[in-house]
Amino acid sequence: MQKKNATVHLLILDPSQNDAESLVSLLRNSGKATRAHRITSEEDLEETLKAGNWDLLLARDLEQEFSADDALAMIRRMDKDIPFILLTEQESRERTVGMMKAGAQDTVSFEHTDLIVLKVNRELAALDERRRRRVLESHLREAEQRCQLLLESSKDAIAYINDGMHIYANQSYMEFLGYDDIDDLICVPVLDTLTPESQEKYKEFMKSFAEKGEDGMTMNCTARRSDDHELNVTMSVSAATYDGEECTQIVLQPEHSDAELEEKLRQISSQDLLTGLYNRQYLMDALAEAIANAGKKNETGALAYIALDNFMSMKGQVGISGADLLLGDLANLLKEQAGDDLALARLSDDAFSLLSQPCDESTMAGHAERIRKAVEDHLFDINGRTVQLTVSIGVAAITENSPKAEELMARAHTASAEVRKLEGHAEGNGVVVYNPADFETLDQSNSVEAIQKALEENRFRLLFQPIINLRGEGEEHYEAFVRMLDKDDEEVSPYDFLPPTGPSDTAIKIDRWVILQTIKQLSSHRSRGHDTRLFLNVTAETLQDKTFTPWLSVALKAARLPGDSLIFQIREGDANNYMKQAKDFTKAVHELHCKVSISQFGCALNPFNTLKHIDTDYVKIDGSFTEEIQKSDEAKEQVKGMVKSLQSSGKLTIIPLVENAGVLATLWQAGVNYIQGYYLQAPVPEMNYDFGDN
């Protein structure tokens, strides 16, 4: 239900200022806090829709320059989930039917104020339910993705069975039994994956499980791979559901772990091998995330589908190898044109895609037109033969009302196909923006290349921020930060340019650049008599990189730098998501005498569980606590308790984001070891803080 005290953000299309005021008064008198904007023109409505979130549009059915029909068409075109109620001057069944077919929620006579209030309440309640559903669907999707990722990335061989048949198996399970494709295993009886001696044993075991229903029951048996090789395994079973269907989960554990298999499972590729662009799976995952963000944060985005015109006939002319060269050259051209704020992917042989958020369809259409013209003007040289290409590009908006990723991609694809229906574009070569009202009536970055370029052009900068011992012991600590100069020479974090799930080699490349440069600077700084130590942040990708610590050992020796001068900082979220890798990473860097810190501590449901598995030396409490302890006594006690628990287990504590002197007394009383923040010094290019002042 719509909360009674929630402010209603109301749009009114009415040529009369007085009548508009009467509508606002009507809603306020009915008990709704109302904030209204009266629409004055087409441009006004478009800018207003882009600038804020709106709950309802009430439009008078009067003759005016910008009509109610125009306003409704714009809402449909921009794909906004804003209930639309037409306020009529007289009853007309035909008018009501026409407006509701066009997308309006209802019509009501302007004179029937009691009915207006009832219909407004109904639409606001329905809108609230839709918004809640989007958030819940987003949470469900994220939970399902986490579960699926856990299954896929698990080193254990896991499968789901129903009536003795496989209905799902993760990659580890398939490789363990020698299957290349899930389709080869689906509907294969479990009995067929066991030796004859183990089959009878399995039947008795499953009968016992059905009777007792005890999860975790195990039996030892012999598995038979698809190549007839036999393996001794332990099988454990438990009740589960898959795609809403009750089933049984089985886990096979070999007598000896396969390190190579485990390593393969960690390698999740997001790259198209031919062009080096993102692949379809990465793009679809990013699109699904963008749609979720639009639903939760009302952050619009845009998707472009780039179809190559007449590609098959072109392929017949230049051959398969020539077509591959052509696609590679085209990918490079698209990279140049895409810019830093667009994610570019290859979807298939003759299709590419662009994704951007925040963005709107008109901005994306501008990008698309620039790309279309660049492709049209470019001469491709394929084995001495000049080839010209054109593209048809469809653009679709990503809004809070968008469908699922597959359907949104279909919208952009449909728009690209519509190019050929334009006059003079029978062969394609154009841009069409998908208008939901038109098409549905008919048939019911971030750029990794920017990072690479910045590295090659030496546009990375290191900054250092002091971390002060609150007990005045004069130690010299800094945290190192990396910034990248973008095309406008503005400083940005290169990590912000990475897609959410990689590519891992780019994140590792940034980490290693930062570490190598800081080691060089720190070595020079310490040679001048400073006993300085540096906190260095590492990404989840580096945690999983088995070649990192051997590389670090060589780098430390080359710089003649003691290991204890470096403190590697791991985010709490990364530590929990990659617990085993973080544990191994910590052990390995400790063997080099380096220290380890956990940052953003306290955000997990059970943060102290992390410390049971990872032997960290420092703990940096999340910056949100710094803000809260200045507002709440409860937060002060929480931080004091957290610090006490951490120190009793031998951890040194750090509080970041100290922005003023007012919080220092509380931190002192809490027993905090170190503080960091702009109150002391902002990150600067030199390690020049005077620790003697403290």
Side-chain angles (χ1 to χ4, degrees):
M1 294 291 290
Q2 179 82 10
K3 295 179 182 178
K4 291 184 179 179
N5 60 350
T7 299
V8 177
H9 294 84
L10 173 67
L11 291 170
I12 300 175
L13 179 62
D14 194 321
S16 168
Q17 177 79 28
N18 291 335
D19 287 348
E21 290 287 358
S22 69
L23 288 172
V24 176
S25 298
L26 177 66
L27 295 189
R28 286 178 176 161
N29 292 337
S30 70
K32 296 199 178 305
T34 305
R35 189 172 301 159
H37 173 79
R38 178 170 162 264
I39 302 161
T40 57
S41 66
E42 179 180 4
E43 294 76 16
D44 178 35
L45 177 57
E46 184 168 4
E47 290 302 317
T48 301
L49 290 176
K50 289 179 179 179
N53 303 329
W54 300 94
D55 304 317
L56 181 68
L57 195 156
L58 299 178
R60 291 290 296 279
D61 196 16
L62 296 172
E63 186 175 340
Q64 46 191 318
E65 184 176 347
F66 182 56
S67 68
D69 301 77
D70 296 333
L72 179 57
M74 180 175 290
I75 287 178
R76 291 298 310 280
R77 176 175 65 78
M78 297 181 69
D79 202 24
K80 291 292 186 180
D81 186 8
I82 301 174
F84 184 103
I85 297 178
L86 182 71
L87 305 179
T88 62
E89 301 306 301
Q90 56 188 11
E91 297 286 346
S92 170
R93 179 178 179 277
E94 290 76 14
R95 181 62 169 154
T96 297
V97 170
M99 289 299 289
M100 292 185 73
K101 280 186 175 180
Q105 273 60 45
D106 212 336
T107 65
V108 60
S109 172
F110 180 72
E111 301 298 326
H112 298 163
T113 55
D114 52 352
L115 197 53
I116 291 175
V117 171
L118 290 173
K119 292 189 176 185
V120 164
N121 287 341
R122 180 193 66 196
E123 293 307 325
L124 290 176
L127 176 66
D128 193 53
E129 289 301 320
R130 290 197 297 275
R131 287 173 173 171
R132 291 186 184 207
R133 188 195 69 224
R134 289 186 198 113
V135 173
L136 292 174
E137 286 176 346
S138 175
H139 291 331
L140 176 61
R141 173 184 163 273
E142 290 169 357
E144 289 175 339
Q145 283 184 330
R146 286 195 296 270
C147 291
Q148 191 66 28
L149 186 60
L150 287 172
L151 285 171
E152 292 295 344
S153 62
S154 174
K155 66 179 180 180
D156 293 326
I158 303 172
Y160 290 155
I161 61 172
N162 190 4
D163 293 332
M165 312 288 279
H166 291 91
I167 60 173
Y168 167 81
N170 68 356
Q171 189 67 26
S172 180
Y173 188 95
M174 289 191 294
E175 294 192 14
F176 184 68
L177 293 181
Y179 289 88
D180 296 325
D181 196 311
I182 186 65
D183 292 335
D184 298 333
L185 188 62
I186 290 297
C187 295
V188 170
V190 177
L191 287 174
D192 288 358
T193 66
L194 301 174
T195 60
E197 296 78 14
S198 294
Q199 289 177 0
E200 289 302 318
K201 190 176 180 181
Y202 168 78
K203 291 177 184 177
E204 291 298 320
F205 174 67
M206 294 305 291
K207 182 179 179 182
S208 175
F209 173 68
E211 292 172 353
K212 296 180 181 178
E214 296 177 4
D215 287 348
M217 291 177 61
T218 62
M219 79 161 190
N220 295 322
C221 58
T222 304
R224 174 186 286 167
R225 286 169 46 90
S226 61
D227 57 7
D228 291 332
H229 183 72
E230 296 180 359
L231 296 169
N232 294 324
V233 299
T234 299
M235 177 188 292
S236 61
V237 296
S238 57
T241 59
Y242 188 74
D243 280 345
E245 183 179 3
E246 291 188 3
C247 59
T248 303
Q249 176 184 282
I250 62 174
V251 180
L252 300 183
Q253 294 179 318
E255 291 182 354
H256 304 288
S257 63
D258 189 337
E260 183 179 354
L261 172 60
E262 184 178 339
E263 185 63 27
K264 285 181 181 178
L265 291 172
R266 292 176 184 163
Q267 297 173 354
I268 302 174
S269 174
S270 64
Q271 195 173 46
D272 174 63
L273 297 179
L274 176 63
T275 62
L277 305 179
Y278 295 133
N279 60 21
R280 181 183 183 89
Q281 184 57 51
Y282 169 81
L283 193 281
M284 296 307 292
D285 289 343
L287 179 57
E289 185 174 340
I291 293 170
N293 283 337
K296 288 188 292 187
K297 305 174 185 175
N298 201 42
E299 185 175 64
T300 59
L303 173 74
Y305 185 97
I306 306 172
L308 277 61
D309 297 323
N310 305 313
F311 179 71
M312 293 309 294
S313 62
M314 186 78 67
K315 190 173 183 179
Q317 295 173 26
V318 300
I320 295 176
S321 60
D324 287 348
L325 290 173
L326 183 64
L327 289 170
D329 290 348
L330 176 61
N332 291 330
L333 177 62
L334 294 177
K335 285 180 193 176
E336 294 173 8
Q337 296 297 322
D340 295 340
D341 57 344
L342 301 176
L344 175 63
R346 182 184 177 215
L347 301 179
S348 63
D349 275 351
D350 60 350
F352 295 78
S353 186
L354 288 169
L355 175 66
S356 182
Q357 190 180 44
C359 187
D360 57 47
E361 72 272 27
S362 59
T363 302
M364 180 62 85
H367 293 313
E369 176 56 30
R370 187 182 71 245
I371 288 172
R372 183 207 63 77
K373 190 172 188 312
V375 174
E376 181 186 33
D377 294 342
H378 191 80
L379 298 177
F380 296 90
D381 184 7
I382 306 301
N383 297 326
R385 180 175 182 173
T386 300
V387 176
Q388 286 184 282
L389 271 181
T390 60
V391 291
S392 296
I393 307 178
V395 175
I398 302 169
T399 70
E400 77 277 9
N401 204 34
S402 291
K404 293 182 179 178
E406 293 77 8
E407 296 175 46
L408 192 66
M409 180 62 74
R411 286 184 173 187
H413 179 267
T414 299
S416 73
E418 287 294 308
V419 171
R420 292 175 177 266
K421 298 180 182 179
L422 300 176
E423 185 177 350
H425 290 268
E427 296 300 316
N429 193 24
V431 177
V432 168
V433 177
Y434 183 91
N435 183 342
D438 291 341
F439 291 99
E440 290 171 20
T441 302
L442 293 174
D443 57 346
Q444 307 282 321
S445 138
N446 289 331
S447 172
V448 173
E449 285 74 29
I451 297 174
Q452 184 60 45
K453 190 174 181 181
L455 280 169
E456 293 170 355
E457 296 176 358
N458 194 29
R459 288 190 285 111
F460 271 42
R461 301 288 183 268
L462 284 176
L463 300 176
F464 303 91
Q465 187 175 38
I467 297 177
I468 309 300
N469 191 316
L470 197 55
R471 307 291 142 181
E473 296 176 9
E475 299 169 285
E476 294 188 13
H477 290 88
Y478 290 93
E479 181 172 357
F481 300 94
V482 62
R483 293 291 180 265
M484 183 177 81
L485 296 179
D486 66 11
K487 55 182 173 38
D488 298 319
D489 285 332
E490 296 291 329
E491 286 189 352
V492 296
S493 170
Y495 295 103
D496 293 340
F497 280 62
L498 289 173
T501 55
S504 59
D505 57 343
T506 305
I508 290 170
K509 190 176 293 186
I510 298 172
D511 283 355
R512 291 200 180 188
W513 185 92
V514 172
I515 292 166
L516 197 58
Q517 297 303 317
T518 51
I519 282 177
K520 291 178 181 177
Q521 289 201 33
L522 183 59
S523 177
S524 173
H525 188 69
R526 287 171 66 98
S527 69
R528 295 192 289 272
H530 299 279
D531 186 21
T532 304
R533 291 172 171 79
L534 277 181
F535 284 74
L536 300 174
N537 295 286
V538 291
T539 60
E541 287 77 11
T542 290
L543 294 182
Q544 301 168 74
D545 180 12
K546 289 188 174 182
T547 66
F548 174 73
T549 44
W551 172 86
L552 176 63
S553 176
V554 172
L556 288 172
K557 289 176 182 176
R560 297 181 180 179
L561 195 67
D564 65 359
S565 62
L566 298 181
I567 302 141
F568 289 98
Q569 196 155 254
I570 307 168
R571 289 187 293 269
E572 183 186 67
D574 291 341
N576 288 327
N577 291 334
Y578 303 94
M579 186 71 76
K580 182 180 183 302
Q581 295 92 327
K583 183 177 180 180
D584 293 343
F585 175 91
T586 301
K587 181 180 178 182
V589 297
H590 274 156
E591 289 175 357
L592 297 176
H593 306 292
C594 301
K595 303 294 184 183
V596 175
S597 172
I598 297 287
S599 65
Q600 300 176 358
F601 183 82
C603 294
L605 294 177
N606 185 7
F608 285 92
N609 184 59
T610 309
L611 304 183
K612 293 179 182 178
H613 302 280
I614 299 176
D615 182 22
T616 182
D617 306 283
Y618 297 80
V619 172
K620 182 188 285 188
I621 294 172
D622 189 71
S624 59
F625 290 95
T626 314
E627 299 176 1
E628 290 175 8
I629 59 178
Q630 300 176 71
K631 304 173 184 176
S632 163
D633 290 333
E634 182 180 346
K636 288 181 182 179
E637 294 305 315
Q638 184 181 1
V639 170
K640 286 180 181 178
M642 194 182 295
V643 169
K644 185 177 181 181
S645 297
L646 289 168
Q647 292 181 338
S648 66
S649 59
K651 313 299 180 188
L652 294 169
T653 55
I654 307 168
I655 293 288
L657 298 185
V658 176
E659 310 296 334
N660 56 69
V663 73
L664 293 179
T666 300
L667 298 180
W668 175 269
Q669 293 169 4
V672 171
N673 299 100
Y674 299 89
I675 57 173
Q676 176 186 13
Y678 276 61
Y679 173 70
L680 303 168
Q681 189 183 70
V684 293
E686 302 293 334
M687 289 180 274
N688 57 8
Y689 187 79
D690 187 356
F691 289 85
D693 289 345
N694 295 279

